[in-house]
Amino acid sequence: MQNAGQLSRRQILAAAGFIGLATVTGCGSGEDGGDSKDLSKKRNGAMKNYRAGQQFKAAEPLSFSMLHNNNPVYPMKDGWLFWKELTKRTGVTLKPVDVPLADYEKKRSVLIGAGDAPFLIPKTYHPSEVAFVSSGAILAVSEYVDLMPNFRDKVRKWKLEPELDSIRQSDGKYYLLPGLHEKAKSGYSLSFRTDVLDKHGLSLPTTWDEVYDVLKALKGEYPGKYPFSDRWSTNTPFPCGALFSYLGQAFGVKAGWTYDNISFDHKARKYVFTGARDSYRQMVEYLRKLVAEKLMDPESFSQTDDQAVQKLLAEKTYVMSANPQELVQNYRYNLQKQVKGAKIEMVPVPLGPAGPVVLGGSRLENGVMVSSKALKSDSFVAMMQFLDWLWYSDEGQKFCKWGVEGVTYTGSGGGYELKPGISLMGSDPDAPKDLQKDYGFFNGVFTYGGSWDLVSSSFSPDEEKFQDAMAQREQLPIDPAHPLQSFEQEQATLWDTPLKDTVIQNTLQFVLGKRPMSQWNAYLSELKSKNMQQLVDLHNKAYERFKKENG
């Protein structure tokens, strides 16, 4: 499960529309290219005719080093069944280089920079890999996907070529093997105290206009309270990052955790500055109205998660952002202990001017980088086959998530049921064993992406209902590729941060009424003085160049 902190690091993908741009099979180039002739001396332990859907088993015992992101919720253990069973099935022993979650990105950079990186470097969020491209420290993995039949099969079946094009660099190659999703998965929306709504004859809202009406009605009933107080404000640069992310979606603009200075205007067919768009202004105006009319708690943008949740539990507020896990394990569980008859439900993201849509580009997840050193290994081909099986085959993904049938779970009716006495993320608080802590399965280093059947197999009834509703929505077009060359990237980085800071600070000032909306044009002038237009021009130049070279 992705938590708020992880999502904030995940910068959502700039994406692409050139499906024919480069085949997913990998063409191979240079002396270490991806064709079999060049790899003839690197096939130790490899399977001769490895194909999609086949169990990978190394022809001889092998071991590969791998960076391991050690999550404090389930600290790594050498005795996990995961390691033992993986070796039994594949003939491969993984040698984890353990790094604490809090230091993962910093330590990864240090290891790669020093030339000490393990062969496999998972849990990498695009565009983190871009920093390592120019040094040649990581492999252009797109050149070797011909060794990965499961990966290619899923890309083809799920039509993921445009998403992969989105992470290509200016040389037309990509350097990260991302997690692949069959369907976009939504995470966050509003939750409402439905028992309170019922008491006052109010219905769950389906649009943002209806959200306003419900909040207004609640304010009438409880004039001394803020009906809506929110969380996820202090752990990311963007206050109320979750709220802005899904509210922005309703207005057709990337905001909050998904905010990126540059986004594509599909009508004008060019890149524009996100924080200056009309749709962004409309979103800000909507929130300004909620705060101005005391429908939303202004402390939403500064309080800790605990403070926000305590207000909900103390019935000082009745509406709050949620994800399905928090809804069930935190809000509902604790509310029902404290308030007799309390009920709370999460609604599908309310609709706004953009209609029933979800943002494009969200079918890729964090993924695996491969150290360039791995290419020198005489078992390189076997390593790529192993990587393909573990992270991209149906069987490998099922193993990573649920473990061993008959030991950790039983299959029933095409679904999965944990064996008695085993809990997953609080599913059975009294169970003596935990699937993550005691067995090493459902580990975020290995468990992401996959078919909708597999992804949804761990959903609670609440999440199933929510995801089914969101899955009916249309995915907005993916932004076309616009990779910057290294000198352009350096220049863009210098402009990006001050511009982003200006957007975040002013968004907050407008919403809280510390700056009147009548000063929007003055705010746009401030963005211009910080090189907004130059940044937009740089990305449009890259877009036109890439289109010309690859279109």
Side-chain angles (χ1 to χ4, degrees), residues 15-289:
F18 304 112
I19 292 173
L21 143 74
T23 62
V24 117
T25 50
C27 46
S29 60
E31 64 174 354
D32 277 324
D35 64 6
S36 54
K37 186 175 144 198
D38 290 331
L39 297 174
S40 58
K41 293 177 181 170
K42 305 178 193 296
R43 304 189 67 89
N44 280 19
M47 288 177 66
K48 278 189 179 155
N49 298 304
Y50 174 62
R51 60 190 184 276
Q54 183 182 16
Q55 173 64 52
F56 169 79
K57 186 71 185 263
E60 60 187 64
L62 297 171
S63 64
F64 303 118
S65 57
M66 180 200 77
L67 204 61
H68 185 269
N69 185 341
N70 196 354
N71 193 318
V73 177
Y74 42 94
M76 195 191 88
K77 294 177 183 172
D78 292 338
W80 273 346
L81 177 61
F82 174 83
W83 307 119
K84 187 179 168 189
E85 184 70 21
L86 182 65
T87 302
K88 182 177 156 188
R89 292 189 189 195
T90 64
V92 171
T93 302
L94 278 179
K95 293 185 173 172
V97 176
D98 207 35
V99 178
L101 174 69
D103 300 328
Y104 191 71
E105 296 190 10
K106 186 180 173 188
K107 181 78 172 173
R108 180 182 63 200
S109 297
V110 169
L111 286 169
I112 293 173
D116 295 329
F119 280 7
L120 300 172
I121 310 164
K123 208 65 184 168
T124 298
Y125 290 88
H126 175 77
S128 303
E129 81 280 9
V130 177
F132 311 116
V133 169
S134 57
S135 68
I138 59 167
L139 210 57
V141 283
S142 56
E143 299 289 279
Y144 303 97
V145 292
D146 56 321
L147 303 173
M148 302 179 65
N150 289 292
F151 177 86
R152 283 183 296 138
D153 184 55
K154 283 179 168 52
V155 170
R156 181 187 55 77
K157 269 196 318 202
W158 299 341
K159 299 181 171 58
L160 283 160
E161 291 91 349
E163 274 95 338
L164 280 180
D165 288 350
S166 78
I167 63 171
R168 290 181 190 274
Q169 301 307 304
S170 52
D171 58 6
K173 301 169 187 176
Y174 53 87
Y175 292 75
L176 176 73
L177 289 164
L180 306 176
H181 278 272
E182 181 182 8
K183 291 182 185 178
K185 179 172 170 272
S186 302
Y188 296 80
S189 186
L190 285 175
S191 64
F192 291 80
R193 277 282 302 275
T194 47
D195 57 312
V196 176
L197 297 193
D198 290 346
K199 183 179 172 185
H200 301 295
L202 300 169
S203 302
L204 283 170
T206 59
T207 68
W208 286 100
D209 287 342
E210 289 175 10
V211 170
Y212 170 80
D213 293 340
V214 167
L215 295 177
K216 193 86 173 161
L218 287 171
K219 185 70 177 176
E221 298 290 346
Y222 307 99
K225 298 180 182 180
Y226 291 108
F228 176 24
S229 188
D230 215 20
R231 61 179 294 192
W232 287 309
S233 296
T234 55
N235 53 359
T236 69
F238 216 112
C240 282
L243 171 65
F244 274 106
S245 297
Y246 63 78
L247 178 63
Q249 187 169 286
F251 284 85
V253 67
K254 290 177 182 174
W257 291 333
T258 65
Y259 179 80
D260 191 333
N261 278 332
I262 298 296
S263 52
F264 197 67
D265 183 331
H266 287 272
K267 284 182 185 163
R269 301 300 303 165
K270 64 178 183 181
Y271 278 92
V272 295
F273 191 82
T274 310
R277 298 182 80 164
D278 270 353
S279 48
Y280 194 89
R281 177 183 54 77
Q282 289 164 9
M283 177 197 69
V284 169
E285 281 177 335
Y286 178 86
L287 280 182
R288 170 70 201 124
K289 183 167 72 164

Side-chain angles (χ1 to χ4, degrees), residues 402-422:
W402 288 106
V404 182
E405 187 164 9
V407 179
T408 55
Y409 77 95
T410 53
S412 58
Y416 304 85
E417 199 170 306
L418 288 170
K419 291 282 281 185
I422 300 176

Side-chain angles (χ1 to χ4, degrees), residues 4-5 8 188 228-246 256-257 287 296-309 311 320-321 331 504 508 511-512:
S8 70
Y188 296 80
F228 176 24
S229 188
D230 215 20
R231 61 179 294 192
W232 287 309
S233 296
T234 55
N235 53 359
T236 69
F238 216 112
C240 282
L243 171 65
F244 274 106
S245 297
Y246 63 78
W257 291 333
L287 280 182
M296 183 178 183
D297 181 0
E299 290 182 359
S300 297
F301 302 91
S302 55
Q303 66 192 354
T304 65
D305 286 2
D306 281 348
Q307 287 170 324
V309 173
K311 287 178 182 178
M320 185 183 287
S321 287
Y331 305 179
I504 292 170
L508 205 52
V511 168
L512 292 173

Side-chain angles (χ1 to χ4, degrees), residues 1-2 250 267 362 396 474 490 525 550:
M1 297 297 149
Q2 303 304 315
K267 284 182 185 163
S362 55
E474 181 190 351
E490 285 169 26
S525 298
N550 299 286

